[in-house]
Amino acid sequence: MRTDENLMDLFDVWVEQGWATPLDRAFVRFLQAQQPESPEPLLLAAGLASYQLGRGHICLDLKAVLDDPDGVLSWPPEGDAPTAGLRPPKILLAGLTVKKWAESMQASDLVSTGEGTTPLVFSNGRLYLRRYWQYETEVAQGILKRLRMPPAAPTDLARRIDQLFGPLRNAEEQAKSDVHWQSVAAAIAAQSAFSVISGGPGTGKTTTVVQLLALLQDIALAQGNPLRISLAAPTGKAAARLTESIGAAVAKLPEALRDSIPAEVTTLHRLLGSRSHTRHFVHNAQNPLHVDLLVVDEASMIDLEMMAALLRALPETARLILIGDKDQLASVEAGSVLGDLCRNAERAAYQQPTIQWIADNTGYDLNPYAGSGTPLDQHIAILRKSYRFDQNSGIGALARAVNAGDSGRVAAVWQQDFDDIDRLAVTSTDEHGFARLVLDGVPSDSHGGYRGYLQYVQSGPQSHASEDAWLQAILDAFGRFQLLSPLRKGPWGVEGLNQKVAQIFFNADLINRQDGWYAGRPVMITRNNYTLGLMNGDIGIVLPFAERNASDHVTLRVVFPMADGSFKKVLPSRLSDVETVYAMTVHKSQGSEFDHAAMVLPESMTPVLTRELIYTAVTRARRYFTLVGPASDLLSEAVQQRTYRASGLSDFFQ
């Protein structure tokens, strides 16, 4: 590695361009101050490890970076045009081998293989910031410990499973000719202190959870030791959605069990007890949660740091069940915990003892799924049948084609005239078709755009039976449609889209201004606010409220729906970390569903446009999906590009 410029000067330029952060630069300067004789390959690796952490990677994989510097580093970010004369990392890495790069790590006092308190840890060809190496180790050890202590299952488990799940099976499944994967998931979880249930939209994850809780609680009640059960999700939106669906499913349980199953879901931050202005929680190893069984939904959204905190706070004897869609995008923060755990899930991985256990307790034959899977693989169940998207569903067909990474199948889906998917070819957001989309969706009231909720805002609470009914109507109408983008910057990114949509609504007399705080503006919290009890990803809408005893004076407040069905009203002046969300990134949409989701693609390919991102966007749609953009062939190209997140977590389970 040779450079004609000082490495710190290069970092200054990268930060100025927005291709690295001031934190990355400060970290390298700190290391250089600690050990001035540190070689540049080491300092570059440390800076890139910090940069990658900001992009969701737990570590810097040396071989992967050397094999494909621009691809792995996504350089330049979001396809920005490189500035003439700017030296990207791949120029600095030219001629460097993994062996030489590793030697620079091993020779430095700043790096260890885990022992001591060095700021950097080098393990299995990966460079970690120590804190994240510690998180990864804690998560692996916490899960492995639970894999080694399976709880005793009752001798009549088969009868109990059949009694609870029997009414849910169709004729083929009743005849045992088709595998009923919900029953399989229950049998796996019944003998596990740790288990994962993964499935796409409409595969019955919520139903499975409720039936499984009923099964485990019924067993515990028969033994005279009722379970203390908690349900959680990563975001307020996901918690509220699960609370609603859990309540309906619990109502269908046998009456004797209903009161023993919790009907309310909380966020992970509230479950653990967030502490203001700190990364720590009230509940930890010294003050564990009062729970015997914890179920966490939307587990694909859980980052590594949160998973470490969660396992730290769980009593050693408590069961943990993760529910989610392994094929979705990974968490916004660093890590891809669910994806790492389910790395082998699609291939045949069940060992004969697992197959026999399933046969004995469900009657289903899993020999077609036999393989030499790891011990972890025996604790994972994939729900493979969608009850929402049948053969007539374009959303389902498109999601399956995208998930398969088959560009030919993706192209073929559009030729089949499905009535729930559509493409809008626009070369600019100035075109009338784009304005029509965001205002009215498609020619059907059930697939409307944003006009409906803004008309509710203008009509005021007097248009409904009560103020709460008005608030609920606004939030429900807003949640029916969502504009999504893979990018943040540019005219096709969320920043440009939000400006354009505000302009469209202003011109249509639906809002009275285009910036600042105004009635109808939807906002998303971008940083946890523990004082207000609002978390990153929570969405509220700015609404006008008449002052008491002064009906002619209006005050704006931001209204957030809470998991318990109530509304939190906050003065805009109390919110600093928010952004407008007429359009949101696909990443931020995880845990949400909309009647109509419209994804806007950019003009050209970018590293962030991957199979997992497309799948996540498509499956946000319950009833209608629209693909928007100037280049219709991008979709087929994008599904061949996988999301890459450097991590060593799965190595612990091999």
Side-chain angles (χ1 to χ4, degrees), residues 25 92-93 117 208 212 214 262 264-265 295 309 336 364 449 463 508 523 609:
R25 177 178 58 191
L92 307 184
L93 297 172
T117 58
T208 303
L212 176 56
E264 185 175 329
V265 184
V295 176
S336 56
Y364 294 106
S463 62
V523 296
L609 205 54

Side-chain angles (χ1 to χ4, degrees), residues 592-638:
S592 301
E593 289 182 347
F594 314 95
D595 284 352
H596 182 183
M599 181 175 66
V600 180
L601 293 182
E603 297 169 295
S604 58
M605 195 62 185
T606 170
V608 302
L609 205 54
T610 64
R611 180 187 309 176
E612 292 80 3
L613 182 138
I614 300 295
Y615 171 81
T616 301
V618 172
T619 55
R620 297 312 88 205
R622 279 190 294 253
R623 302 178 63 180
Y624 205 89
F625 175 77
T626 302
L627 183 67
V628 185
S632 60
D633 60 336
L634 272 190
L635 193 67
S636 295
E637 186 178 352

Side-chain angles (χ1 to χ4, degrees), residues 67 172 187 266 309 347 352 367 429 572 604:
D67 287 347
E172 289 77 14
T266 186
R347 73 184 192 194
Q352 281 304 314
N367 273 297
T429 55
S604 58

Side-chain angles (χ1 to χ4, degrees), residues 406-465:
D406 189 330
S407 57
R409 278 178 63 185
V410 170
V413 168
W414 297 107
Q415 310 304 318
Q416 297 177 48
D417 294 324
F418 289 109
D419 60 8
D420 60 344
I421 59 174
D422 192 16
R423 286 188 287 189
L424 174 64
V426 290
T427 58
S428 165
T429 55
D430 291 327
E431 291 187 26
H432 174 71
F434 181 77
R436 180 172 169 270
L437 172 73
V438 297
L439 283 166
D440 300 309
V442 296
S444 169
D445 290 341
S446 61
H447 304 136
Y450 287 132
R451 187 193 300 271
Y453 99 86
L454 289 169
Q455 288 176 335
Y456 281 139
V457 173
Q458 291 181 333
S459 67
Q462 64 273 10
S463 62
H464 288 73

Side-chain angles (χ1 to χ4, degrees), residues 506-553:
F506 180 77
N507 292 340
D509 292 326
L510 291 169
I511 56 177
N512 60 15
R513 55 185 296 179
Q514 299 179 52
D515 53 18
W517 295 102
Y518 56 85
R521 180 191 176 195
V523 296
M524 175 184 284
I525 300 294
T526 59
R527 185 188 298 271
N528 292 341
N529 188 320
Y530 300 109
T531 303
L532 295 175
L534 295 171
M535 300 297 141
N536 186 0
D538 286 350
I539 294 176
I541 297 178
V542 182
L543 295 174
F545 291 88
E547 288 293 330
R548 192 171 298 172
N549 301 322
S551 58
D552 59 337
H553 188 268

Side-chain angles (χ1 to χ4, degrees), residues 287-351:
N287 181 31
L289 293 163
H290 304 293
V291 62
D292 302 308
L293 170 60
L294 175 63
V295 176
V296 182
D297 193 32
E298 296 290 353
S300 63
M301 300 171 66
I302 305 176
D303 61 87
L304 185 70
E305 182 177 2
M306 174 56 77
M307 182 59 74
L310 188 63
L311 286 165
R312 209 177 294 137
L314 269 183
E316 289 190 359
T317 57
R319 298 188 198 214
L320 175 61
I321 301 174
L322 302 181
I323 314 291
D325 187 344
K326 65 179 179 58
D327 297 314
Q328 280 191 35
L329 279 169
S331 56
V332 174
E333 304 298 331
S336 56
V337 176
L338 189 66
D340 287 341
L341 296 178
C342 295
R343 179 160 295 184
N344 304 326
E346 281 302 327
R347 73 184 192 194
Y350 288 128
Q351 299 174 8

Side-chain angles (χ1 to χ4, degrees), residues 363-408:
Y364 294 106
D365 179 14
L366 293 193
N367 273 297
Y369 303 91
S372 55
T374 68
L376 172 63
D377 296 332
Q378 312 313 302
H379 295 256
I380 297 174
I382 307 297
L383 305 182
R384 301 169 189 269
K385 179 177 179 179
S386 176
Y387 297 90
R388 179 188 302 172
F389 302 130
D390 59 20
Q391 66 273 17
N392 298 316
S393 168
I395 295 172
L398 184 58
R400 289 189 293 272
V402 168
N403 222 355
D406 189 330
S407 57

